[in-house]
Every structure is written in C-alpha cells, then in structure tokens.
Amino acid sequence: MKIRSLRHSEPPPRNLLLLADPSIEFIEDYLNRGETYIAELNGAVVGVYILLATRPGTCEIVNIAVSEKYQGEGIGRKLLQHAIELAIQGGNRTLEIGTGNSSIGQLALYQKCGFRITGVDRDFFVRHYKEDIHENGVHCRDMIRLSMDL
Ligand code: ACO
Ligand code: ACO
C-alpha cells in the first residue's frame, strides 16, 4: 500500500470522504483549504485523509476514511501515522482530531495512536447537521476533541 498526496488534477475520493462526514459542504471546504492524502492498493484508492493547518503550529485531521471493504485491516492506523509524521515534518507542535460521541471504534483507534481527549464541543452535530446521526445505537450530538503533542 502506498500513501501519497492527491494531485490537483485528480478527483478527490468524495465517496470515501462522505463515510467520515455526511456534509458535502464541509468536505468541499476542507478539500479547498487542506492537503489531501490517499492510500492506494493495486491502483485503487482505499483510504483518504485531509490535513488542515488551523492555527500557527497546529493542524487537524479533519477527515479520515477507509473503504468499507478494507476497514479493520490496519489502513486507518497507517494513515494516522502518516499524518503524524507529516505534521512533525511541517514543524507543528500539536495535531488535533475530532469525532462524534457515538464513534466508539474511532475513539479507541485515535487513543491507541496517541491522541488524548481534550474537550467536548457540545451539540456540534445538532447545530451543524440537518439530519440526526445515530451510530452504535447512540445519538451523535457532541464532538469529542482529541489532540497530540508532537
Ligand atoms: N473497541 C475497541 N477498539 C476498536 C473498536 C472498538 N469498538 N473498533 C475498532 N477498534 C480498533 C481496532 O481494534 C483497531 O485497533 P488495532 O490497530 O490495535 O487492532 C483499530 O480500532 C482500527 O484500526 P484500523 O484497521 O487501522 O482502522 P480502519 O482501517 O478501519 O480505519 C476508520 C479506521 C478510518 C475510522 C475506518 O473504519 C472508517 O473509514 N470508518 C468510517 C468513516 C469514519 O468514521 N471516519 C472517521 C470519522 S472522524 C474524522 O474523520 C476526523
Ligand atoms: N459498542 C456499542 N455498544 C456497546 C458496546 C460497544 N463496544 N459495548 C456494550 N455496548 C452496549 C450493548 O449493545 C448494550 O446496549 P443495548 O442495551 O442497546 O443492547 C449495552 O451496551 C450493554 O447493556 P447491558 O447488557 O444492560 O449491560 P451489562 O449488564 O453488561 O452492564 C456494565 C454494563 C455494568 C458496564 C457491565 O458490563 C460491567 O459490570 N462491566 C464491568 C464493570 C464496569 O466497567 N463498570 C462500570 C465502571 S464505571 C462506573 O462504575 C461508574
């Protein structure tokens, strides 16, 4: 598997990005402002993440997704490790990520990779998303904020 920067001439894998975020408006904004990286396996795009510089010395993984067929095989962890290395190389001191209160597996993965919970953006998903989101039988309302000192 190879992870590389998406070229400006290439179409972003919106179908994958939508797995992580149902808002196409947010996705287009992140694609415009951030750097997109893709994971390729046998010529097919199987994973993606977007890294966004948010403040001086701080960047955030604002979207990360792996094709459903390949989930649970370690690709997400490799994408996170790639993002961590890039953020360090870019001279950043802090890497952030956020996910829904209902995203139990994602919260486990991010903490296994070294992120620590720093806060809760209460009702983020209620304020910003038209449709209710449910996952693992839990109503997704709040964004759990995590960060890593680099
Ligand atoms: N309890 C404990 N651990 C869990 C659980 C759980 N319920 N679910 C998953 N995990 C762990 C696994 O054990 C594994 O850990 P390990 O590496 O120690 O074995 C890890 O989480 C999963 O690792 P990967 O196989 O590397 O992850 P995957 O390739 O499936 O990618 C991802 C993870 C990106 C979240 C993928 O499942 C996906 O695309 N999901 C749908 C989109 C999504 O939710 N994206 C994130 C939204 S938040 C955001 O974009 C910032
Ligand atoms: N992802 C999604 N849902 C999950 C997961 C998961 N990884 N793990 C459990 N659940 C859900 C189940 O689906 C079930 O939901 P449902 O009722 O909608 O089907 C629910 O959690 C479990 O419900 P019960 O079967 O009623 O729970 P149980 O009788 O197992 O009691 C308890 C829960 C008390 C936490 C028990 O497992 C236990 O004693 N664990 C060890 C001690 C412990 O951790 N106690 C809590 C510490 S915090 C405190 O004490 C304040």
Side-chain angles (χ1 to χ4, degrees):
M1 195 194 66
K2 186 183 160 196
I3 302 174
R4 67 169 175 88
S5 178
L6 185 78
R7 288 186 283 273
H8 290 294
S9 56
E10 293 177 303
R14 291 188 173 80
N15 55 332
L16 288 186
L17 294 162
L18 281 163
L19 293 176
D21 187 340
S23 168
I24 193 68
E25 290 85 8
F26 278 24
I27 289 172
E28 296 301 339
D29 179 56
Y30 296 149
L31 284 168
N32 283 333
R33 293 194 292 131
E35 277 296 315
T36 304
Y37 296 86
I38 53 168
E40 286 179 315
L41 193 64
N42 303 323
V45 179
V46 296
V48 63
Y49 76 87
I50 304 177
L51 194 61
L52 180 68
T54 52
R55 293 188 295 284
T58 301
C59 54
E60 177 167 346
I61 300 166
V62 289
N63 189 305
I64 180 165
V66 170
S67 160
E68 273 161 330
K69 197 173 150 197
Y70 292 99
Q71 287 176 11
E73 294 182 11
I75 295 173
R77 185 184 273 266
K78 288 201 180 83
L79 287 170
L80 288 165
Q81 282 160 354
H82 190 270
I84 293 165
E85 278 160 30
L86 262 188
I88 293 171
Q89 281 168 23
N92 291 285
R93 303 301 306 270
T94 308
L95 180 60
E96 298 184 333
I97 195 164
T99 195
N101 57 282
S102 53
S103 297
I104 295 162
Q106 292 83 337
L107 285 167
L109 173 61
Y110 302 158
Q111 290 176 87
K112 283 180 184 180
C113 288
F115 287 94
R116 303 228 1 226
I117 292 175
T118 53
V120 180
D121 190 344
R122 280 174 67 100
D123 284 323
F124 175 89
F125 294 97
V126 178
R127 278 186 272 118
H128 293 289
Y129 290 77
K130 289 187 197 93
E131 308 287 330
D132 275 1
I133 305 169
H134 290 268
E135 202 182 3
N136 298 306
V138 178
H139 184 191
C140 179
R141 302 173 60 106
D142 308 317
M143 185 190 279
I144 309 299
R145 303 290 308 162
L146 301 99
S147 98
M148 181 188 292
D149 295 332
L150 302 173

